Amino acid sequence: MTTISSRPLDSRVETPGRGGTRNPRRGRFRRHAWNYVFLIPMLLLFAGFTIWPMIASWWYSFFDWDGIGPPTEWIGAANFREILGSHAFWNAFGNSLLFSGAAIAIQMPLALFFALLLNNPRLRGRNLYRLLLFLPTVTTTAIVGIVFAIMLDPSGGFVNGLLQELKLVNQPINFLGSEHTALPTLIAIELWKDLGITLIYWLAALQTVPPDVRDAAAVDGAGRFQLLRHITLPILTPLAVVILLLTFQSSLNPFDLVQATTQGGPNFSTDVVSTYVYRYAFDPSVMAPQYGYACAAGVVFGVVTLLLTLVQAPLLRRRYLQTAR
Amino acid sequence: MDHTRLPRRALFRSAAAVATLGVGAACGVPGRKKSTGASVTLKIAIVPDPTGASDFYRKQFDTFSTQNPRIHVDIVENPTEQEVNAVSLMFQQGKGPDVYRAQGSAALDQFVQHGWAADLTPHASADFFSRFPKGSMDPKISGLHRNGGLYSLPLVAGKAWGGSLLCYNKAILNDAGFSSPPSAWSQLVDMAKQITKRGNGKVYGFAPQTSVAPDVGSFQATAGPSSIGSTGIDYRSGQPAITDRSLLDTVEMYRNLQHQKVMTPGWESWDGTRAYTEFAKERLGMYVAGNWHINEIVTLNPQIQIGIAVTPVPDSGRAGYPGVGSTFQPIWSMSAKSKHPAEAWKLMEFLVSPEFQRAYFEKFRSFTAVESAWRSGVKLSPTEQAMLTVEDTQIKSAPDPSVSRPGGPAQLITDLRGNPDLSWGPAAVAAITRNQDFGSKAASLNSSLGGFLRTDMKKLTARGMKVAAADLAFPSWDPLSNWAPGSR
């Protein structure tokens, strides 16, 4: 394999200028000046819509503030104390983690399984299957939520009708209205919906497995399972680490699905941190919004998520280095 | 890749161009649209509800512009749930609308506090007030006044937004052997059971209005002071009363209905539209409807045999009525920052003109604030007539410190409404769906509510908004009678 460096060959050569020897850093900057110019819009947007809101939410979380006008009532860490002692917040937090846990434990392996099947060039119609599996991902979540709510309705819904018709159940199952079934139902919908994007990640990762290595192993007598275990999976591992982190992060925020189906109910059994924050900051039924408190909830969630990611990082890095060697 | 060097001059030019664009965008370079002569463009923020409102308002404002050729009206539509946030942001950016939907009492408080709502008192003449029902514009009860000033105008009649009606399907009741709606709680329970049993999983006897079961409050108001259902406080004494028998018994009735599988399964995740949709599909025998549901039901199913009745009362007899603390809900407000206050007032006046209010009633069949628009010269359907009769029968005026006692008491109630953890609603729904006793939860909440009130009173008093427990008490209030404004 040939490695191509993107650095120009003369990048370390100093360029004499009008004033004699010039600063190499300055020269490098001038050489890439257009790149920096084109980066400016993105940097401005990133600063305005990502960095600034993040810093602002930290600042606002120290105020008793309704979101209108400048915050003036400094209350120190009172919002954080209230959140850390709030059973409702930790309930929402736990539910958010359950969404992520399910994505990692079920969605990732399932998507890998489908990716392995669909990566087979001899499979007829594989592009159609890929499309069908990816279709839910590009469907608007609110629509998905409404359609599932209608389908799963215990009073006249298609799924319960079918289950009763087939004599599989005597009473309709209250999928979204029961505390016992609502969360698993939403997790299942979310897994189905997001399977496509993880599938795409895995398919992309599978393209990095060199065919000649597989061919060589096959010539040496390796069977399908051995190829998978000793060739494909080890090569995929460094990318699997990235897919794991992406899946973990993206699955933490199922706001649109929850809001479109249960709004966090029944009895907060499907409440996640984003719906919790929304309730305090924007819900019109709460007549006096508590933006400061909502910001603090977001900050706590962000910090704990960051810590969880950092805890994973050394373990994943070790695994990454082992397999990348 | 070929790295072309960027000449210094070109770099400066590019940077200058980017900076100019940025500064231009930040400063809001004026648009090309210029006002010509003395013509004025007003901006109004509305919501697209009910269905068809967008088109209705556009036509009405075109009519207004025809009558006032100098004034053009630009419409900004916000989703209903986001209207208050959106208008607040518009004001914060210095681009507030001239006229906007204030969306109710709590939001109007915010707009007034931030100086975004204009005091309309100087504009409103005695002749203007005469178009509203007599006495309804008294600052102590109108719901439109703040600190003696008029800050908003209504859209619909007070009872039309404050009330709730027992809506029943005559055909379903007849099929189950009932010729009239229930008048007592036990009748409701028996009839609901019978309908559900006969419905065989396709039709149910009763269901709450939404997943948060706001109708528990409607039944509670027939068994005790309505203030307990709205805030958890008994306004006769000014004390927390979540443990009051009226509320405990109501939750117990719902719990039994749920436990015996009488109510439509799945209501636990219903949004605000689902109950009337189920009713329109003739899969629900009875439910407590909001007034605006009736028109939606008839639109969805014109053939439905709909009946309207007063909310059933406890078997021991009525001990209260659903109460409204103000005669109107504040809807239209005018910006205190408007550059065209005279023209904006003209638009405000148009919104409560008999012509506009008549057109609104004819389009949406909602009883409007200017009652002359529908009390005379309009043929009401039997259902509408029944709605009016029920509203006139069962809705009484009730005290509300947030309306009649501005300052500390009003702020205390605003703070309480902004604290969802002190609402009895979620605990009641949990008791109903989990088949648990509500009493212990109510006792715990009652204690928390008392603690909150004491703490907030101290906090507000320290801020100069003096308030004491006595400010929440109206000892002369009889929940079975209309409360007279001004009495203690």
Side-chain angles (χ1 to χ4, degrees):
Chain A
M1 190 187 288
T2 311
T3 306
I4 300 168
S5 169
S6 60
R7 176 176 290 183
L9 291 173
D10 64 341
S11 64
R12 289 168 186 274
V13 180
E14 289 184 7
T15 313
R18 275 172 289 181
T21 306
R22 300 190 62 173
N23 184 344
R25 193 176 292 172
R26 204 167 157 194
R28 217 161 38 234
F29 174 80
R30 288 199 65 197
R31 240 187 326 277
H32 298 293
W34 274 116
N35 304 22
Y36 292 117
V37 168
F38 286 120
L39 270 177
I40 288 173
M42 195 284 289
L43 288 175
L44 286 175
L45 292 172
F46 183 70
F49 292 102
T50 304
I51 302 295
W52 166 244
M54 232 190 283
I55 295 169
S57 68
W58 274 93
W59 175 244
Y60 295 148
S61 63
F62 294 105
F63 289 86
D64 181 8
W65 184 46
D66 66 359
I68 298 168
T72 50
E73 202 174 328
W74 175 271
I75 54 169
N79 281 331
F80 291 100
R81 276 197 297 274
E82 199 176 337
I83 284 160
L84 294 175
S86 163
H87 174 260
F89 174 77
W90 291 112
N91 167 61
F93 191 95
N95 288 340
S96 296
L97 286 187
L98 277 176
F99 271 92
S100 264
I104 290 168
I106 303 169
Q107 184 179 303
M108 273 188 66
L110 197 63
L112 175 60
F113 171 74
F114 282 117
L116 288 168
L117 285 182
L118 296 175
N119 198 44
N120 182 356
R122 282 173 295 180
L123 180 70
R124 295 178 75 180
R126 63 182 182 145
N127 284 338
L128 178 67
Y129 301 138
R130 285 180 185 185
L131 176 73
L132 290 176
L133 284 168
F134 192 67
L135 213 50
T137 306
V138 291
T139 310
T140 311
T141 312
I143 302 294
V144 168
I146 291 165
V147 169
F148 268 97
I150 293 169
M151 279 170 44
L152 298 173
D153 190 354
S155 160
F158 159 75
V159 174
N160 271 304
L162 186 68
L163 291 174
Q164 284 179 297
E165 197 72 28
L166 297 172
K167 310 275 183 212
L168 292 173
V169 294
N170 294 325
Q171 294 284 325
I173 300 171
N174 199 352
F175 286 104
L176 295 172
S178 158
E179 283 181 61
H180 305 296
T181 52
L183 187 62
T185 304
L186 288 191
I187 288 174
I189 298 171
E190 186 76 0
L191 292 182
W192 167 79
K193 188 177 181 313
D194 288 348
L195 182 77
I197 194 73
T198 318
L199 176 78
I200 295 293
Y201 293 154
W202 280 125
L203 280 171
L206 282 169
Q207 307 318 306
T208 64
V209 179
D212 48 348
V213 178
R214 286 177 59 87
D215 293 345
V219 168
D220 289 344
R224 273 189 187 177
F225 181 72
Q226 286 170 314
L227 278 175
L228 175 68
R229 189 179 165 196
H230 297 292
I231 303 291
T232 308
L233 291 182
I235 292 176
L236 286 182
T237 304
L239 285 167
V241 172
V242 178
I243 296 172
L244 175 75
L245 289 175
L246 285 172
T247 307
F248 175 68
Q249 287 295 332
S250 64
S251 58
L252 276 171
N253 186 21
F255 174 80
D256 36 11
L257 179 66
V258 176
Q259 197 64 19
T261 49
T262 61
Q263 298 93 48
N267 300 321
F268 305 108
S269 60
T270 58
D271 203 20
V272 289
V273 173
S274 43
T275 49
Y276 180 88
V277 167
Y278 172 83
R279 200 164 48 249
Y280 280 90
F282 303 111
D283 192 340
S285 66
V286 177
M287 299 299 185
Q290 300 174 49
Y291 276 57
Y293 182 82
C295 284
V299 166
V300 171
F301 184 58
V303 168
V304 180
T305 310
L306 184 68
L307 288 176
L308 285 174
T309 312
L310 290 177
V311 165
Q312 290 174 49
L315 301 171
L316 296 173
R317 185 176 159 76
R318 198 181 310 153
R319 181 77 184 137
Y320 176 91
L321 291 174
Q322 277 172 0
T323 50
R325 255 180 228 137
Chain B
M1 187 178 167
D2 179 34
H3 290 263
T4 310
R5 286 195 176 197
L6 184 68
R8 186 176 294 173
R9 192 176 293 169
L11 182 61
F12 286 144
R13 278 180 190 158
S14 306
V18 169
T20 309
L21 282 171
V23 170
C27 299
V29 175
R32 289 177 185 178
K33 195 175 166 186
K34 285 182 183 172
S35 58
T36 53
S39 70
V40 164
T41 298
L42 296 176
K43 186 158 61 177
I44 183 166
I46 62 167
V47 298
D49 283 336
T51 310
S54 306
D55 188 43
F56 170 79
Y57 280 116
R58 184 64 271 165
K59 283 180 181 158
Q60 286 298 315
F61 294 142
D62 287 346
T63 306
F64 172 77
S65 292
T66 309
Q67 293 167 0
N68 301 274
R70 236 172 35 81
I71 309 174
H72 176 73
V73 182
D74 271 356
I75 297 176
V76 176
E77 271 193 23
N78 297 308
T80 308
E81 293 193 340
Q82 301 307 327
E83 163 76 358
V84 175
N85 281 332
V87 172
S88 300
L89 284 172
M90 288 165 82
F91 276 117
Q92 289 195 68
Q93 292 165 357
K95 296 174 181 174
D98 298 282
V99 175
Y100 55 96
R101 273 186 70 124
Q103 298 296 85
S105 186
L108 179 64
D109 286 340
Q110 286 185 30
F111 289 125
V112 173
Q113 275 173 22
H114 290 94
W116 296 333
D119 185 355
L120 308 173
T121 315
H123 300 282
S125 62
D127 182 48
F128 172 80
F129 285 125
S130 69
R131 67 182 71 172
F132 299 101
K134 198 177 173 189
S136 64
M137 280 295 191
D138 182 336
K140 288 195 192 76
I141 58 161
S142 78
L144 310 172
H145 288 76
R146 295 293 183 272
N147 303 316
L150 178 68
Y151 281 91
S152 191
L153 295 177
L155 176 60
V156 294
K159 287 181 178 179
W161 65 264
S164 51
L165 320 153
L166 182 77
C167 188
Y168 63 95
N169 184 313
K170 289 177 184 172
I172 292 176
L173 261 63
N174 281 336
D175 288 348
F178 303 109
S179 56
S180 59
S183 56
W185 288 10
S186 62
Q187 284 178 8
L188 174 97
V189 172
D190 291 343
M191 290 168 72
K193 279 182 187 170
Q194 178 71 6
I195 293 167
T196 299
K197 195 176 166 189
R198 281 178 56 88
N200 203 20
K202 294 194 168 24
V203 178
Y204 290 87
F206 185 75
Q209 202 181 90
T210 69
S211 60
V212 295
D215 36 311
V216 169
S218 302
F219 281 96
Q220 180 281 325
T222 66
S226 57
S227 62
I228 295 174
S230 57
T231 60
I233 300 169
D234 184 345
Y235 283 159
R236 293 174 304 183
S237 61
Q239 295 301 314
I242 298 174
T243 50
D244 191 80
R245 207 63 254 167
S246 60
L247 188 55
L248 299 185
D249 289 349
T250 310
V251 175
E252 187 62 17
M253 177 175 72
Y254 272 70
R255 183 164 78 105
N256 284 331
L257 285 167
Q258 174 79 353
H259 181 54
Q260 293 172 33
K261 300 186 190 303
V262 175
M263 300 202 280
T264 311
W267 67 267
E268 302 90 340
S269 58
W270 281 6
D271 63 11
T273 64
R274 191 60 194 281
Y276 71 70
T277 309
E278 286 293 304
F279 189 87
K281 287 179 181 170
E282 308 213 42
R283 297 203 304 223
L284 180 58
M286 298 176 283
Y287 85 106
V288 178
N291 293 53
W292 64 278
H293 289 195
I294 310 302
N295 193 37
E296 297 288 342
I297 292 167
V298 175
T299 305
L300 288 169
N301 183 358
Q303 309 303 322
I304 196 168
Q305 295 177 48
I306 189 171
I308 308 290
V310 295
T311 312
V313 302
D315 291 20
S316 55
R318 184 184 283 280
Y321 284 96
V324 288
S326 56
T327 47
F328 294 116
Q329 186 187 35
I331 290 292
W332 300 113
S333 284
M334 192 174 114
S335 168
K337 316 271 183 198
S338 175
K339 289 175 184 162
H340 313 289
E343 290 81 2
W345 170 250
K346 275 193 172 179
L347 184 58
M348 292 286 285
E349 209 175 8
F350 173 76
L351 290 165
V352 288
S353 66
E355 301 76 39
F356 176 88
Q357 296 257 314
R358 169 72 65 93
Y360 191 90
F361 174 75
E362 285 177 350
K363 172 76 178 170
F364 303 111
R365 306 304 286 187
S366 287
F367 299 119
T368 47
V370 177
E371 298 193 1
S372 61
W374 47 269
R375 284 272 184 200
S376 59
V378 173
K379 188 170 166 49
L380 298 179
S381 70
T383 305
E384 288 164 345
Q385 199 63 57
M387 284 171 70
L388 266 186
T389 307
V390 167
E391 283 165 3
D392 287 340
T393 307
Q394 78 164 0
I395 296 171
K396 306 282 182 196
S397 58
D400 182 351
S402 65
V403 175
S404 57
R405 293 182 179 166
Q411 189 56 48
L412 181 64
I413 298 302
T414 303
D415 291 350
L416 172 59
R417 286 179 177 147
N419 194 330
D421 296 340
L422 294 171
S423 165
W424 54 263
V429 171
I432 294 163
T433 55
R434 292 174 184 166
N435 193 28
Q436 291 172 343
D437 173 45
F438 178 58
S440 55
K441 292 170 191 282
S444 166
L445 263 176
N446 213 45
S447 166
S448 303
L449 176 57
F452 170 83
L453 291 175
R454 284 189 293 278
T455 309
D456 207 47
M457 280 179 198
K458 279 183 196 162
K459 201 167 122 185
L460 290 170
T461 304
R463 271 199 231 156
M465 302 173 87
K466 203 176 168 194
V467 54
D471 292 321
L472 301 181
F474 298 81
S476 66
W477 177 39
D478 173 8
L480 287 167
S481 309
N482 275 313
W483 178 71
S487 60
R488 293 296 297 179

